[in-house]
Amino acid sequence: IPASSETETVLVELLDLTGNVVKTWRFDGGAAMQENLDINDLENGIYVLRISFDGRLVQQKRIVKAG
């Protein structure tokens, strides 16, 4: 996430296709960051990843498949 040094909190939410939030993560901001998200307990399907920071919102559709 290309956050600035002024970013306080990064909110990451995973939503199912009906719009229900199925998982939420919060991270302390800072310079560019990289985090691993534990999604091992999710069923196969399509989910929307929503990331909010510095008043911005980023959404991406992702397919989750069991390995």
Side-chain angles (χ1 to χ4, degrees), residues 52-67:
S52 306
F53 62 98
D54 289 344
R56 291 182 266 178
L57 178 65
V58 177
Q59 292 192 152
Q60 296 183 351
K61 194 177 292 186
R62 294 287 183 231
I63 299 172
V64 176
K65 292 195 127 280

Side-chain angles (χ1 to χ4, degrees), residues 1-60:
I1 299 172
S4 71
S5 60
E6 300 168 1
T7 300
E8 293 182 10
T9 302
V10 176
L11 176 64
V12 179
E13 299 173 297
L14 194 66
L15 296 84
D16 62 19
L17 289 181
T18 64
N20 293 318
V21 176
V22 294
K23 282 199 164 256
T24 303
W25 299 270
R26 287 185 188 274
F27 302 102
D28 292 329
M33 57 187 291
Q34 178 177 331
E35 296 286 343
N36 292 320
L37 306 177
D38 181 10
I39 57 171
N40 290 325
D41 58 334
L42 294 178
E43 295 183 20
N44 292 349
I46 300 173
Y47 296 88
V48 175
L49 186 66
R50 183 164 63 191
I51 303 169
S52 306
F53 62 98
D54 289 344
R56 291 182 266 178
L57 178 65
V58 177
Q59 292 192 152
Q60 296 183 351

